[in-house]
């Protein structure tokens, strides 16, 4: 049923960027699973750093504390077969649930503007993508982390659709929240993510834009699989 890449296919890097709550992560995960690729959630890495900073009271104005904390952090992903998902680990502990909570969501943009944090995460993301066969989602994957990615996708959706999507996602995780809280969180993050000095969120010139406001999840996934297939075919014929 699934469209697993064959041995002849080149193991490409697929970069999926866009605003929060456009459906990037769920789409990226499904595309990776159907192609037999590895999925890397770069947002989860910034969330993991944020969780560590919060739990260890790291002062965001103090460069020494930030540098020390970054040295103490190890982030890995492991596939949970029962849940059928990749989960994020911080220094060996599973933090997948903790990093989705609002205390982290409300702080993560402030942590991800810090140049030292970005540089450490970008280095790690490049190591994780070595060898290809990777779908990585985030804000700056196609512009900064992998400017040479063989396929770049930029996902968008109108604000209402994004609020709706995030509301359903949090409710299904048992988080009680009002739509006003979600609106405020998304609007603030949009502003910080797209105006920060280092690697702001922007569409790479050669990225394919997909507006997910009025298409189904399956259509989103199919669209990217088709783009990936044709890219892999062109590269193996080159
Ligand atoms: O995709 P997400 O909502 O889990 O990302 C959490 C935050 O991390 C987001 O507000 C911006 C930041 N981020 C980033 O700056 N660069 C990335 N490549 C991925 C996420």
């Amino acid at each position: 049923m699934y469209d697993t890449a064959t041995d002849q296919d080149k193991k490409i890097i697929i970069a999926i960027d866009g605003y929060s709550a456009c459906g990037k992560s769920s789409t990226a995960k499904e595309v990776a699973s159907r192609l037999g690729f590895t999925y890397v959630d770069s947002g989860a890495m910034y969330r993991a750093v944020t969780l560590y900073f919060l739990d260890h009271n790291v002062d965001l104005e103090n460069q020494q504390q930030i540098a020390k904390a970054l040295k103490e952090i190890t982030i890995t992903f492991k596939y949970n077969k029962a849940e059928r998902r990749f989960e994020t680990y911080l220094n060996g502990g599973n933090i997948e649930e903790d990093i989705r909570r609002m205390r982290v969501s409300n702080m993560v943009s402030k942590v991800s503007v810090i140049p030292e944090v970005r540089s450490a995460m970008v280095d790690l993301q490049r190591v994780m993508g070595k060898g290809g066969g990777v779908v990585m989602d985030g804000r700056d994957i196609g512009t900064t982390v992998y400017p040479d990615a063989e396929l770049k996708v930029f996902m968008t959706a109108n604000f209402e659709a994004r609020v709706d999507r995030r509301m359903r996602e949090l409710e299904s995780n048992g988080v009680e929240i009002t739509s006003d809280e979600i609106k405020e969180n998304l609007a603030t993050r949009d502003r910080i993510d797209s105006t920060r000095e280092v690697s702001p969120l922007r569409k790479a010139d050669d990225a394919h834009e997909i507006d997910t406001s009025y298409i189904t999840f399956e259509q989103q996934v199919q669209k990217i699989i088709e783009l990936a297939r044709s890219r892999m075919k062109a590269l193996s014929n080159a």
Side-chain angles (χ1 to χ4, degrees), residues 20 24 42-44 46-47 100 108-109 112 118 138-141 189 193 196:
S20 323
K24 286 190 312 290
S42 72
Y46 290 97
R47 287 173 180 270
R100 310 291 161 192
V108 63
S109 285
S112 52
R118 297 211 72 78
R139 305 292 188 286
D140 61 340
I141 310 304
R189 284 208 281 154
D193 291 349
R196 67 177 175 228

Side-chain angles (χ1 to χ4, degrees), residues 137-202:
D137 79 332
R139 305 292 188 286
D140 61 340
I141 310 304
T143 52
T144 304
V145 183
Y146 282 107
D148 296 330
E150 289 88 350
L151 175 61
K152 298 181 191 176
V153 173
F154 192 81
M155 286 177 59
T156 61
N158 65 41
F159 196 66
E160 289 310 314
R162 293 168 57 209
V163 171
D164 209 49
R165 181 172 284 139
R166 188 45 52 90
M167 186 91 187
R168 276 185 278 126
E169 186 182 296
L170 289 172
E171 275 175 357
S172 74
N173 288 337
V175 178
E176 273 187 36
I177 190 152
T178 64
S179 74
D180 282 347
E181 280 175 279
I182 295 183
K183 280 180 189 160
E184 192 184 326
N185 175 260
L186 289 184
T188 308
R189 284 208 281 154
D190 284 358
R191 183 175 44 74
I192 301 180
D193 291 349
S194 46
T195 57
R196 67 177 175 228
E197 238 165 77
V198 187
S199 311
L201 168 66
R202 71 170 180 84

